């Protein structure tokens, strides 16, 4: 199907649904606000899937339409921009800019990677380093950009072993995407999930609780994926033989790409020490929120002010603010408003009211995970997938007697798999085409996805059924 034909088909489907919703006799029991919400929701989803229009523009248009028709108030629409999760992400990006400017990234890469003496060691040390970056850099695209100089250094050191370079090119985006579930700030989709849960059920997941639930899954799925990448991309001969990556190789590439010229070995610079202490303090305060009751957004704001201060900071505030993805924040705010409309109008409940509810909890969660895993084939934006799926999953979970928190978390975690096509996620796209460096092909991605998709889906289901209940999130209400 050509892009033009697909767009026309999706537009016809959306307009047909809107026409059906306009007729008062259709769909009895559906309120006027719910009809308007479903119409806007259908048009926005079809536009996300079938048009090249920017996702943020579509989301803002949908939020404006819901406000103009009276489904939600203007205070609701604009109030989402002041949501604590939005401020948390802004301040996290300021902190990430300070970390990048200080040179800590290169030093951490040398500490973890230069000690590898075998291919498997290098694979899992790189995986561990990428998991750790989830605490320092918000959003998967930001982590991919930060990790690119390290990959280029490794590619140069292993230039005579081409299959290993291809393996590493595939490993970096794979682990970045799967390890994002470790923290609340790992992806914008997580903040959307938390917001929709709060608006729909009154239950709020804090930074510490998300860390408790997500970090074990991130570690397990990342190292499982590392083995899958290793076995699907390399041969036995590729995996044998010693490996040596020198600190100088990583330093040179970090300096060339990031413009940071500090040392990566030896005594720490004062700026590095201050930045490391600040980052450790912020993460510790995030994790200990139940003890001191200071909201994560407030902790992040304090950290951002210190990180950009003239005396103690490592980056100027105006430079750090340039790294904030304002388009993503506007998208999040608009989709939060759409989630409020779906919940308050009753549209989400109506959409799932016809689904069979007499199913076992494990089967319900399995279906949610399966749909969420495959959703990247239709909706490339991770945040858009959560915006569409999470309100429906929460409403369906309530009808099936499943804990909505468990269902929403399972859906969001499963949606982290988006490796099938080069365009499925920004990190995959970034590492798919690097001038002068051999990287993976669409065939490599398909081979990995055939193995990794069922493995990650089964792992999320295992955590939802067996691990998360032990950590305070039962399967049933």
């Amino acid at each position: 199907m050509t892009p033009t034909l697909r767009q026309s088909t999706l537009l016809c489907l959306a307009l047909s649904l809107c026409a059906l919703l306009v007729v008062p006799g259709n769909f009895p029991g559906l309120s006027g606000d719910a009809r308007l919400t479903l119409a806007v929701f259908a048009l926005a989803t079809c536009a996300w899937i079938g048009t090249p229009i920017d996702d943020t523009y579509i989301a803002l248009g949908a939020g404006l339409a819901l406000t103009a028709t009276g489904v939600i108030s203007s205070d609701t629409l604009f109030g989402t921009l002041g949501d604590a999760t939005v401020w948390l992400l802004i301040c996290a990006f300021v902190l990430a800019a300070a970390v990048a400017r200080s040179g800590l990234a290169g030093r951490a890469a040398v500490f973890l990677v230069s000690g590898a003496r075998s291919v498997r060691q290098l694979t899992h040390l790189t995986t561990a380093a990428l998991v750790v970056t989830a605490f320092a850099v918000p959003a998967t695209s930001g982590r991919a950009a930060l990790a690119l100089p390290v990959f280029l250094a490794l590619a140069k050191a292993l230039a005579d072993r081409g299959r290993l370079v291809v393996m590493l090119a595939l490993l970096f985006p794979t682990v970045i995407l799967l390890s994002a579930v470790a923290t609340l700030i790992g992806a914008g989709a997580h903040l959307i999930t938390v917001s929709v849960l709060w608006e729909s059920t009154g239950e709020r997941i804090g930074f510490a609780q998300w860390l408790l639930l997500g970090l074990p899954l991130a570690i397990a799925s990342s190292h499982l994926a590392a083995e899958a990448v290793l076995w699907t991309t390399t041969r036995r001969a590729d995996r044998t033989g010693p490996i040596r990556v020198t600190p100088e190789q990583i330093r040179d590439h970090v300096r060339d790409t990031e413009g940071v010229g500090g040392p990566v070995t030896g005594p720490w610079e004062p700026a590095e020490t201050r930045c490391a202490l600040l980052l450790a303090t912020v993460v510790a305060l995030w994790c200990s929120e139940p003890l001191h009751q200071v909201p994560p957004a407030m902790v992040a704001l304090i950290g951002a002010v210190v990180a950009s201060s003239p005396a103690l900071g490592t980056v100027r505030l105006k430079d750090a603010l340039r790294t904030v993805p304002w388009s993503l924040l506007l998208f999040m705010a608009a989709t939060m408003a759409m989630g409020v409309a779906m919940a308050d109008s009753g549209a989400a409940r109506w959409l799932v009211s016809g689904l069979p509810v007499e199913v076992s909890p494990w089967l319900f969660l399995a279906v949610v995970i399966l749909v969420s895993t495959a959703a990247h084939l239709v909706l490339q934006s991770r945040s858009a997938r959560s915006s569409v799926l999470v309100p429906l999953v929460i409403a369906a979970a309530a009808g099936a007697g499943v804990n909505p928190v468990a269902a929403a978390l399972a859906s969001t975690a499963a949606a982290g798999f988006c490796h099938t096509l080069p365009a499925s996620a920004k990190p995959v796209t970034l590492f798919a085409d690097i001038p002068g460096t051999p990287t993976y092909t669409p065939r490599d991605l398909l081979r990995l996805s055939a193995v990794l998709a069922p493995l990650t889906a089964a792992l999320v289901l295992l955590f939802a059924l067996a691990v998360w209940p032990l950590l305070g999130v039962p399967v049933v209400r």
Side-chain angles (χ1 to χ4, degrees), residues 80-432:
T80 55
L81 280 171
D83 190 89
T85 55
V86 173
W87 278 94
L88 173 62
L89 200 60
I90 292 173
C91 298
F93 269 98
V94 173
L95 287 168
V99 171
R101 184 64 61 90
S102 70
L104 277 178
R107 189 179 290 274
V110 167
F111 176 76
L112 283 166
V113 176
S114 63
R117 295 295 177 267
S118 68
V119 173
R120 178 163 275 104
Q121 246 187 342
L122 176 65
T123 300
H124 286 281
L125 283 173
T126 301
T127 299
L130 291 172
V131 172
V132 171
T133 62
F135 295 90
V137 183
T140 54
S141 56
R143 293 168 62 203
L146 184 70
L148 185 60
V150 179
F151 164 72
L152 292 174
L154 294 174
K156 182 179 179 181
L158 302 170
D160 58 336
R161 303 174 72 173
R163 293 305 302 173
L164 289 188
V165 176
V166 172
M167 182 274 292
L168 288 170
L170 196 51
L171 177 71
F172 271 72
T174 297
V175 175
I176 285 170
L177 289 167
L178 293 179
S179 62
V181 74
T183 70
L184 182 59
I185 62 172
H190 302 169
L191 304 176
I192 292 172
T193 297
V194 168
S195 176
V196 174
L197 265 174
W198 171 251
E199 295 290 345
S200 303
T201 67
E203 298 191 51
R204 184 179 291 278
I205 300 178
F207 188 94
Q209 186 181 9
W210 191 290
L211 182 69
L212 179 66
L213 300 169
L215 182 58
L217 176 59
I219 294 172
S221 61
S222 296
H223 285 280
L224 180 68
E227 283 294 323
V229 170
L230 192 61
W231 284 98
T232 58
T233 312
T234 63
R235 304 179 182 90
R236 180 183 294 273
D238 300 319
R239 296 189 291 271
T240 58
I243 279 184
R244 179 66 177 172
V245 181
T246 65
E248 290 74 19
Q249 291 169 319
I250 294 179
R251 180 198 62 201
D252 292 343
H253 274 273
V254 169
R255 179 180 297 167
D256 292 342
T257 308
E258 296 294 327
V260 178
V264 293
T265 57
W268 284 36
E269 298 288 327
E272 291 177 312
T273 303
R274 294 196 305 270
C275 192
L277 289 173
L278 175 62
L279 184 62
T281 302
V282 169
V283 173
L285 289 173
W286 278 341
C287 297
S288 58
E289 179 193 354
L291 299 178
H292 53 70
Q293 298 297 314
V294 179
M298 183 60 66
V299 172
L301 181 57
I302 295 171
V305 169
V306 174
S308 58
S309 64
L312 301 175
T314 59
V315 64
R316 293 188 301 175
L317 182 59
K318 66 177 183 179
D319 294 332
L321 290 176
R322 290 195 188 102
T323 68
V324 177
W326 298 106
S327 178
L328 171 63
L329 297 177
L330 289 173
F331 177 87
M332 284 175 49
T335 51
M336 285 177 190
M338 292 174 64
V340 172
M342 287 289 289
D344 291 352
S345 68
R349 286 194 304 273
W350 181 85
L351 274 178
V352 300
S353 60
L355 298 177
V357 295
E358 298 300 326
V359 295
S360 58
W362 75 266
L363 181 59
F364 176 86
L365 287 174
V367 172
V368 167
I369 291 169
L370 179 63
V371 172
S372 301
T373 301
H376 72 281
L377 298 173
V378 179
L379 281 170
Q380 277 71 40
S381 168
R382 191 172 185 166
S383 297
R385 292 199 295 276
S386 288
S387 303
V388 172
L389 291 174
V390 171
L392 303 180
V393 166
I394 292 173
V402 175
N403 184 359
V405 176
L409 284 173
S411 174
T412 305
F417 175 84
C418 36
H419 304 67
T420 306
L421 301 170
S424 293
K426 291 184 181 67
V428 179
T429 304
L430 178 64
F431 281 86

